[in-house]
Amino acid sequence: MLQVVIIGSGNVAQHLIKAFATTLQVQLVQAFARHPENLSHLLPQEKITNSFDDIAEADVYIIAVSDDSITEVSSQLPVKGKLVVHTSGSAGLDQLDAKNRRGVFYPLQTFTKNKSVDFSLVPICLESEHKEDYRLLETLGYALANSVYRIDSAQRQALHVAAVFVSNFTNHLYGIGSTVCKENHIPFDILKPLIKETASKITTLTPLQAQTGPAIRNDKKTLQRHLAFLQNTNQKEIYTLLTQSIQKANEQKL
Amino acid sequence: MLQVVIIGSGNVAQHLIKAFATTLQVQLVQAFARHPENLSHLLPQEKITNSFDDIAEADVYIIAVSDDSITEVSSQLPVKGKLVVHTSGSAGLDQLDAKNRRGVFYPLQTFTKNKSVDFSLVPICLESEHKEDYRLLETLGYALANSVYRIDSAQRQALHVAAVFVSNFTNHLYGIGSTVCKENHIPFDILKPLIKETASKITTLTPLQAQTGPAIRNDKKTLQRHLAFLQNTNQKEIYTLLTQSIQKANEQKL
């Protein structure tokens, strides 16, 4: 059985702790948290430490902290020659201290407090400095999830940017839709089936095949009416820029 | 049993024809198409006409044509004092000829060829010029769908703009994500669970509660790295504008 220590107590750390609790192939031997109370609802007290002096023996150390803290935490970690991975989509392998065998275990999902996630559906992106460690990370990945991908640091950077577009930016467009509804006394619920279907369509069509609406039809009257309707400068700018971008992508068949 | 004639043969018309075929409360007596062959896979020949002279008697005439053609088609329709509705999110009630009792039957969904839609989950937005026609439209709506909303022309305009943000623009962001993946030899499939979860989160959280990512954390290092990564001017502009917009919305708690 693979023995794992998790370092961190944020969203990703907590979702990982919950997910490992459901697997038989992996034993979470300890979690490190500066403030142990952050994890006390998930683990018994004896499994939580806030001191690097007490860190347990394990096969893999998973550093699930904010990107800016990865370097510091990995250099403080008092182990040598061990497999140490971070969980960041954005940080390179080289942000880990070279005293250990380095790797990345990046679950590509949006983790929010108070919203559970089915980890079996989360793609896990793996990278290892040493070839022989890849197999172990793969075992760890498949213990939690159905799909595991080999993604190097340069690809992971690209993937993280792509994820910002399809998730963070998309969610913000939901926010604008919600604001427009509220201002016009329309329940936001009315848009939810549309949001769901839009996300569902690209499982069987490419985004270009799935594109509908006035921009791709170059329906000038509707585009003008919409711009005249929007009073908020920021929303107007976004409308204009994304409309142009849809039309450019359509010309270039992107 | 409500008798219906559909005028049009595009995406919305075809999805409506399919949906009415499954209901017991509504009988589709005829469909009008300039090119009957567009509907020949859906209806027997005797139910399709391309001549307004042959238009059948019905309780409701549903004009499902492009926005620009609504006025012309509704004035050509050789009936008087009948309930005539269009299906557009963007056109006003007044684009229908006043010789008939006017209304709107707007199914708020993204309809694409070769992608079936579960009509029971599509919200139907209704408006009627005459109070007594609303009940009939409601019956028509509930024959197809579980939820029906009273939405006037001004609200429908707002709703259509909101729908462009949450659906057309969102789909385009999926397209940018797909392009970034392709350029970096990453399968787009890896992003699909994230896309699905992002759409699912807003069924239980507000978009602002659901917002994650470097913009809302104001994680300047990651934002700079992402902008340095993006070489395409258009993608850079979208990244910058949406990042600023997320930060503004967060300040104003929108």
Side-chain angles (χ1 to χ4, degrees), chain A residues 67-68 90-91 95 108-112 115-117 121 123 125 149 151 155 157-181 184-205 207 209-214 219 221-222 225-226 229-230 234-235 237-239 241-243 245-246 248-249 254, chain B residues 67-68 90-91 95 108-112 115-117 121 123 125 149 151 155 157-181 184-205 207 209-214 219 221-222 225-226 229-230 234-235 237-239 241-243 245-246 248-249 254:
Chain A
D67 290 3
D68 288 349
S90 184
Q95 289 186 41
L108 180 55
Q109 192 47 282
T110 168
F111 297 105
T112 318
K115 171 79 175 71
S116 68
V117 161
L121 303 176
C125 306
Y149 294 85
I151 297 288
Q155 285 177 313
Q157 174 77 348
L159 196 54
H160 195 244
V161 172
V164 167
F165 277 92
V166 305
S167 178
N168 304 154
F169 290 168
T170 285
N171 181 71
H172 182 59
L173 296 181
Y174 300 161
I176 293 176
S178 155
T179 303
V180 170
C181 281
N184 291 277
H185 314 289
I186 302 164
F188 181 51
D189 277 352
I190 202 172
L191 286 174
K192 289 178 182 174
L194 175 66
I195 286 172
K196 202 173 166 192
E197 172 68 9
T198 303
S200 159
K201 266 165 65 165
I202 51 102
T203 57
T204 53
L205 302 171
Q209 288 167 337
Q211 189 68 55
T212 57
D219 174 352
K221 279 189 201 166
T222 302
R225 248 196 326 255
H226 284 184
F229 169 86
L230 290 168
N234 182 44
Q235 290 169 1
E237 276 184 74
I238 294 172
Y239 191 99
L241 186 58
L242 289 176
T243 295
S245 184
I246 287 172
K248 271 186 227 163
L254 283 178
Chain B
D67 290 3
D68 287 350
S90 184
Q95 289 187 41
L108 179 55
Q109 191 45 281
T110 167
F111 296 105
T112 319
K115 171 77 174 75
S116 68
V117 161
L121 303 176
C125 305
Y149 294 85
I151 297 288
Q155 286 176 313
Q157 173 78 347
L159 195 54
H160 195 244
V161 172
V164 166
F165 277 92
V166 305
S167 178
N168 304 154
F169 289 169
T170 285
N171 181 72
H172 181 59
L173 296 181
Y174 300 161
I176 293 176
S178 155
T179 304
V180 170
C181 281
N184 291 277
H185 314 289
I186 301 163
F188 181 51
D189 277 352
I190 202 171
L191 286 174
K192 289 177 180 174
L194 175 65
I195 285 171
K196 202 173 167 192
E197 172 68 9
T198 303
S200 159
K201 267 165 63 165
I202 51 103
T203 58
T204 52
L205 302 171
Q209 287 167 337
Q211 189 68 54
T212 57
D219 174 352
K221 278 189 200 167
T222 301
R225 247 196 326 254
H226 284 184
F229 169 86
L230 290 168
N234 181 44
Q235 290 169 1
E237 275 184 75
I238 294 172
Y239 192 99
L241 186 59
L242 289 176
T243 294
S245 184
I246 287 171
K248 271 185 227 164
L254 283 179

Side-chain angles (χ1 to χ4, degrees), chain A residues 83-156:
Chain A
L83 180 54
V84 175
V85 300
H86 70 62
T87 58
S88 165
S90 184
L93 191 79
D94 54 4
Q95 289 186 41
L96 293 167
D97 195 306
K99 68 186 173 185
N100 285 297
R101 286 149 38 217
R102 302 179 289 185
V104 178
F105 187 89
Y106 168 45
L108 180 55
Q109 192 47 282
T110 168
F111 297 105
T112 318
K113 257 184 203 154
N114 307 322
K115 171 79 175 71
S116 68
V117 161
D118 180 354
F119 234 99
S120 68
L121 303 176
V122 177
I124 313 275
C125 306
L126 303 179
E127 181 179 10
S128 68
E129 184 180 20
H130 300 285
K131 215 175 159 186
E132 60 275 22
D133 289 328
Y134 189 80
R135 183 71 54 94
L136 198 154
L137 289 182
E138 220 174 27
T139 306
L140 198 64
Y142 282 123
L144 296 184
N146 299 332
S147 53
V148 156
Y149 294 85
R150 187 192 291 268
I151 297 288
D152 66 27
S153 286
Q155 285 177 313
R156 200 170 53 255

Side-chain angles (χ1 to χ4, degrees), chain B residues 44-245:
Chain B
Q45 198 138 13
E46 67 272 17
K47 281 210 170 182
I48 315 175
T49 181
N50 65 355
S51 161
F52 277 123
D53 297 336
D54 296 332
I55 216 85
E57 274 291 309
D59 300 304
V60 193
Y61 294 81
I62 302 179
I63 298 183
V65 301
S66 70
D67 290 3
D68 287 350
S69 309
I70 291 172
T71 303
E72 193 198 336
V73 167
S74 84
S75 71
Q76 286 180 344
L77 188 67
V79 297
K80 266 190 184 172
K82 289 283 190 179
L83 180 55
V84 175
V85 300
H86 71 62
T87 59
S88 166
S90 184
L93 192 78
D94 55 4
Q95 289 187 41
L96 292 167
D97 195 307
K99 69 186 174 186
N100 285 298
R101 286 148 39 216
R102 301 179 289 185
V104 179
F105 187 88
Y106 167 44
L108 179 55
Q109 191 45 281
T110 167
F111 296 105
T112 319
K113 258 185 202 152
N114 307 322
K115 171 77 174 75
S116 68
V117 161
D118 181 355
F119 234 99
S120 69
L121 303 176
V122 177
I124 314 277
C125 305
L126 302 179
E127 181 180 10
S128 68
E129 185 181 18
H130 300 286
K131 213 175 160 187
E132 61 275 21
D133 289 328
Y134 189 80
R135 183 69 54 95
L136 198 155
L137 289 182
E138 220 174 27
T139 306
L140 198 65
Y142 282 123
L144 297 184
N146 299 333
S147 53
V148 156
Y149 294 85
R150 187 190 293 268
I151 297 288
D152 68 27
S153 287
Q155 286 176 313
R156 200 170 52 254
Q157 173 78 347
L159 195 54
H160 195 244
V161 172
V164 166
F165 277 92
V166 305
S167 178
N168 304 154
F169 289 169
T170 285
N171 181 72
H172 181 59
L173 296 181
Y174 300 161
I176 293 176
S178 155
T179 304
V180 170
C181 281
K182 199 180 285 176
E183 287 168 356
N184 291 277
H185 314 289
I186 301 163
F188 181 51
D189 277 352
I190 202 171
L191 286 174
K192 289 177 180 174
L194 175 65
I195 285 171
K196 202 173 167 192
E197 172 68 9
T198 303
S200 159
K201 267 165 63 165
I202 51 103
T203 58
T204 52
L205 302 171
T206 68
L208 190 61
Q209 287 167 337
Q211 189 68 54
T212 57
I216 199 163
R217 289 198 309 271
N218 197 19
D219 174 352
K220 292 202 176 92
K221 278 189 200 167
T222 301
L223 294 171
Q224 278 165 9
R225 247 196 326 254
H226 284 184
L227 282 170
F229 169 86
L230 290 168
Q231 295 302 306
N232 177 306
T233 319
N234 181 44
Q235 290 169 1
K236 249 188 160 71
E237 275 184 75
I238 294 172
Y239 192 99
T240 304
L241 186 59
L242 289 176
T243 294
Q244 288 167 352
S245 184

